[in-house]
Amino acid sequence: MEHGRQDSGDSISELQEWRPVSYRKCTDTLWLLLFCLFWAGLMFISGYAVVAGAAERLVLGYDSFGNICGRKNTPVEGANLSGLDMTNKKYVFFLNSCSLEIQRHKISSLSLCVSSCPQQQLNSLEDLQSFARNNDSFLCVYNLNVSSYTLNPKVAQLCPTLPVPPSMSFPLFNRCVPQNPECYSKYASVLIHMVNEMDVFHRILSGILAGRDTVIGLSVLALAFSLILVLAFRFIQTLLIHTLIALVVFGLLFVSGVLWWLHYDYRSDPSTELETEKENAKFLLGYAIFSTIVTIVLLSLILVLRKRLQLGVQLFRIVGKIIGRIPFLLFQPFWTFLILVVFWVFWVAVLLSLGTAGSAQSTSGGQVEYRALSGICYMAWYHFIGLIWTSEFILACQQMVIAGAVVTCYFNRNKNSPPPHPVLSSISVLFCYHLGTAVKGSFLITILRIPRIVLLYLYSILNQKHAYTTTAINGTNFCTSAKDAVCILARNSAKLTSISCFGDFLLFLGKVFVVCFTVFGGLMAFNYHRQLQAWVVPLLLVGFFAYLMSHSFLSVFEVTADAMFLCFAIDMETNDGTAEKPYFVDQELLTFVSQSNKLTEGREHRNTRPFQDNEDGTELQPMT
């Protein structure tokens, strides 16, 4: 054995000492402190947005006196008609709807909150009185009594211009839109101008608010698809894989075709005037190109790997056996999902409030203007980084919990009697020692998520799943764990890479399935409200949420498989199968790896090659 060690040269001295430790120390504490400081900044932005913002103004609309229609309001200093209760007055009515003009980027006409829009033409002041008394909807300024409509000498400035055209409430922004062709043409041109004058950020916010119910419904749909796939992979059969692949191919082709068709429909529509519709057409073109490229790549990979379907069945059968020993692993995605939902609701609420942050200032005529505050765009970008980083951190914590539980059970001699409470033990280790590592890993993944195509190689080097598993074993920081994982996997790449990659590919197809059918539902739902709504960005948000949900649920299998293979590589390198240093691996996994890679010669090589001694000369010990 001494001769073997000498022949191996310096390569043996460079091998990592793999040993699950019972005594641990905190890792990457500076990164945890940085994350706390970052969240302190998020809390400041959140507080500022809540105090200075009013998201209801985007959709509910507001009158010339600063009252938001459809809710109770607080008074604005210097505006006597502000602070009114508009709970029953949900629609915005312009007094001069047939002669609107733009002055200093705002509509010149006085606007009021009314309970209903006049559906018939009103030709006289008596008609205004009758409409007010019959419908409890007052079309003159609030401080003018109904009985004074025909008596007040200033009624021309306080009441709408006669005749008042019939109008209907517009479903998106709750405006009373005149139905008279001439008035409607003038009204629409002014409204189009106002929407086009809005910056992209506020148009996107209005689209999110307008489609909030659809976004919630599609997120629930993605959750249902994810649950179905978790159960399917838990009890996987060959027919299921064929069905999944067929559905993914159909979904990719169908979504790509729908995107191209919608883009053509927008481009060929001669009535497209709104800037939001033009933006939708541009985004749809980008989506269609991206979807087509993804479809071609995935179809090529499916064609190449079609002969290895049975390998995937065997792999997930073994993974399912491990999860069967730790059944509480299947509950981890539920907790992760609930935490993600709470964070996403908080994030969207702050974003909407941030987009409407502005100071209400009264004018000389008692009206109210909202002036946007400086620095909002920078806060929005900071808030967006917080979305990605925090979401990745939550997922990283789940991956570390799963990896720690799998490591604990793998390095256990009695496979029929796993250690008690491995999941709770893994959670305890994470929160006591390795939150900083999860923060650092999620930050690096956040940075690489944006230019991922350019930095794909570096992303693979810093693959967080293997780094978290190594941290669970050795208790080292993120960079050290990533380096050690890369080294040992590189030495065993011929044995494990093809199996692991094929398993990851099948799980990725599952995520594509969830995203495809969720996005398809979004395309059908959002396309019915294409006017005045930048719905392609909310659709992108839905796709992002769908991917995170499916990733959260399917990562149980993904992390379990990756942790299992990393433990297998460590086991093969640390032990030699003799009575003094037996393997921890069970016979089923060893047979599966050997048959999958035809490693008869490789196994003989492992039994004769030099191995690394531990400090006390004993085999790798299970975690305590």
Side-chain angles (χ1 to χ4, degrees):
M1 294 299 296
E2 292 296 330
H3 177 69
R5 287 192 188 93
Q6 186 175 1
D7 290 344
S8 61
D10 296 336
S11 61
I12 293 298
S13 63
E14 296 175 358
L15 296 179
Q16 167 66 28
E17 182 78 22
W18 291 94
R19 182 183 181 87
V21 292
S22 57
Y23 172 76
R24 291 176 178 266
K25 63 179 181 179
C26 296
T27 55
D28 298 306
T29 51
L30 290 179
W31 282 91
L32 181 58
L33 177 62
L34 177 64
F35 190 63
C36 293
L37 293 176
F38 179 85
W39 257 90
L42 277 183
M43 289 296 98
F44 170 78
I45 291 176
S46 302
Y48 176 82
V50 170
V51 172
E56 299 97 328
R57 292 204 312 266
L58 281 175
V59 169
L60 299 182
Y62 58 97
D63 63 14
S64 298
F65 308 102
N67 298 300
I68 299 175
C69 301
R71 54 158 283 184
K72 295 182 179 180
N73 296 275
T74 55
V76 177
E77 185 178 356
N80 296 330
L81 296 179
S82 64
L84 302 179
D85 185 359
M86 298 296 179
T87 304
N88 297 321
K89 300 179 179 181
K90 301 180 179 181
Y91 306 104
V92 179
F93 176 77
F94 291 98
L95 268 60
N96 301 320
S97 58
C98 288
S99 57
L100 297 181
E101 294 181 357
I102 301 295
Q103 294 180 358
R104 291 181 300 178
H105 302 289
K106 61 174 293 185
I107 298 177
S108 59
S109 173
L110 203 66
S111 60
L112 303 173
C113 293
V114 298
S115 56
S116 63
C117 303
Q119 298 184 3
Q120 295 181 349
Q121 182 169 299
L122 305 178
N123 298 308
S124 63
L125 295 175
E126 289 77 9
D127 290 342
L128 290 177
Q129 281 182 324
S130 177
F131 177 79
R133 287 166 177 163
N134 295 334
N135 299 278
D136 198 29
S137 183
F138 307 98
L139 305 183
C140 295
V141 176
Y142 308 127
N143 57 358
L144 182 62
N145 191 278
V146 178
S147 59
S148 302
Y149 280 11
T150 58
L151 304 175
N152 196 303
K154 297 182 179 180
V155 69
Q157 290 82 32
L158 303 177
C159 290
T161 303
L162 297 175
V164 179
S167 59
M168 295 182 63
S169 59
F170 191 70
L172 180 58
F173 289 125
N174 296 333
R175 268 66 169 179
C176 292
V177 180
Q179 300 302 297
N180 181 290
E182 183 178 350
C183 293
Y184 176 81
S185 176
K186 179 68 175 178
Y187 184 95
S189 64
V190 171
L191 193 58
I192 287 173
H193 179 79
M194 284 298 297
V195 172
N196 290 344
E197 285 296 317
M198 295 169 60
D199 57 65
V200 176
F201 177 58
H202 286 84
R203 284 201 293 270
I204 290 172
L205 287 179
S206 64
I208 293 175
L209 258 183
R212 60 190 181 277
D213 294 336
T214 305
V215 170
I216 294 173
L218 291 172
S219 299
V220 173
L221 179 64
L223 172 62
F225 281 138
S226 299
L227 288 174
I228 291 172
L229 280 181
V230 166
L231 296 177
F233 276 110
R234 175 64 180 89
F235 306 100
I236 196 162
Q237 299 295 331
T238 306
L239 179 61
L240 174 64
I241 292 186
H242 286 285
T243 304
L244 174 63
I245 291 177
L247 288 174
V248 169
V249 171
F250 171 77
L252 287 171
L253 293 175
F254 195 70
V255 168
S256 298
V258 170
L259 285 170
W260 282 111
W261 175 76
L262 286 176
H263 171 68
Y264 174 78
D265 185 50
Y266 270 85
R267 289 293 301 272
S268 60
D269 188 354
S271 63
T272 300
E273 296 183 48
L274 286 173
E275 193 66 28
T276 53
E277 291 183 305
K278 296 177 182 178
E279 287 177 359
N280 287 343
K282 294 177 183 178
F283 276 110
L284 283 172
L285 177 61
Y287 289 176
I289 294 174
F290 176 77
S291 177
T292 302
I293 294 174
V294 171
T295 300
I296 294 173
V297 172
L298 287 182
L299 289 180
S300 301
L301 289 174
I302 291 173
L303 186 64
V304 171
L305 298 174
R306 69 188 187 280
K307 295 182 179 180
R308 309 200 70 179
L309 293 180
Q310 189 59 35
L311 179 64
V313 175
Q314 296 175 8
L315 171 61
F316 285 107
R317 186 176 292 121
I318 295 175
V319 171
K321 183 178 178 181
I322 295 177
I323 294 177
R325 295 171 184 165
I326 322 172
F328 281 102
L329 283 183
L330 289 176
F331 290 94
Q332 295 308 303
F334 289 96
W335 304 119
T336 304
F337 171 73
L338 290 176
I339 296 172
L340 283 174
V341 166
V342 172
F343 170 66
W344 290 341
V345 170
F346 161 78
W347 185 87
V348 172
V350 172
L351 179 67
L352 295 175
S353 298
L354 193 63
T356 55
S359 58
Q361 299 181 354
S362 60
T363 63
S364 57
Q367 300 180 24
V368 174
E369 293 181 353
Y370 290 96
R371 297 182 181 176
L373 303 176
S374 59
I376 295 297
C377 289
Y378 298 105
M379 293 184 182
W381 277 110
Y382 188 96
H383 194 57
F384 178 71
I385 294 173
L387 169 68
I388 301 179
W389 190 3
T390 306
S391 298
E392 289 288 350
F393 169 72
I394 295 171
L395 293 174
C397 289
Q398 173 183 281
Q399 291 169 2
M400 285 203 69
V401 168
I402 296 172
V406 172
V407 166
T408 301
C409 289
Y410 184 97
F411 293 112
N412 175 58
R413 292 295 183 193
N414 189 354
K415 301 301 182 183
N416 296 321
S417 179
H421 313 299
V423 175
L424 292 179
S425 174
S426 183
I427 293 175
S428 176
V429 169
L430 168 65
F431 278 91
C432 291
Y433 302 106
H434 302 313
L435 275 180
T437 297
V439 168
K440 185 176 181 180
S442 59
F443 176 79
L444 293 177
I445 300 305
T446 299
I447 296 300
L448 302 180
R449 186 75 70 186
I450 301 171
R452 190 169 180 177
I453 296 177
V454 179
L455 300 173
L456 188 59
Y457 173 75
L458 183 58
Y459 175 81
S460 64
I461 293 297
L462 296 176
N463 191 301
Q464 74 273 26
K465 293 170 292 186
H466 294 142
Y468 296 150
T469 305
T470 305
T471 297
I473 297 174
N474 290 330
T476 50
N477 61 47
F478 181 82
C479 290
T480 302
S481 299
K483 181 194 68 175
D484 294 341
V486 168
C487 290
I488 193 168
L489 290 175
R491 292 194 294 270
N492 294 271
S493 60
K495 310 176 186 67
L496 303 176
T497 300
S498 62
I499 309 173
S500 178
C501 286
F502 186 72
D504 290 344
F505 179 68
L506 284 179
L507 290 171
F508 178 72
L509 288 183
K511 300 172 189 177
V512 172
F513 165 79
V514 174
V515 173
C516 268
F517 284 89
T518 304
V519 168
F520 171 70
L523 286 172
M524 296 298 99
F526 282 123
N527 191 48
Y528 285 105
H529 305 285
R530 60 168 64 184
Q531 291 183 334
L532 299 177
Q533 184 178 343
W535 58 262
V536 288
V537 176
L539 181 65
L540 183 63
L541 197 62
V542 166
F544 175 72
F545 287 164
Y547 176 80
L548 283 183
M549 285 182 195
S550 60
H551 178 70
S552 172
F553 280 84
L554 293 179
S555 65
V556 172
F557 300 92
E558 189 174 1
V559 177
T560 299
D562 289 331
M564 177 185 69
F565 285 130
L566 183 59
C567 291
F568 176 83
I570 297 169
D571 194 10
M572 294 298 101
E573 190 162 288
T574 307
N575 300 297
D576 58 3
T578 61
E580 292 79 13
K581 298 175 73 69
Y583 293 132
F584 283 90
V585 64
D586 58 22
Q587 189 60 37
E588 184 179 5
L589 176 58
L590 186 62
T591 303
F592 168 70
V593 175
S594 300
Q595 290 178 348
S596 301
N597 294 280
K598 298 180 175 61
L599 289 181
T600 304
E601 297 180 0
R603 289 178 61 188
E604 293 176 357
H605 173 70
R606 281 199 304 270
N607 290 333
T608 57
R609 78 175 177 189
F611 57 87
Q612 176 189 2
D613 284 333
N614 290 307
E615 292 176 0
D616 56 2
T618 60
E619 77 276 1
L620 194 65
Q621 299 294 326
M623 185 185 300
T624 58

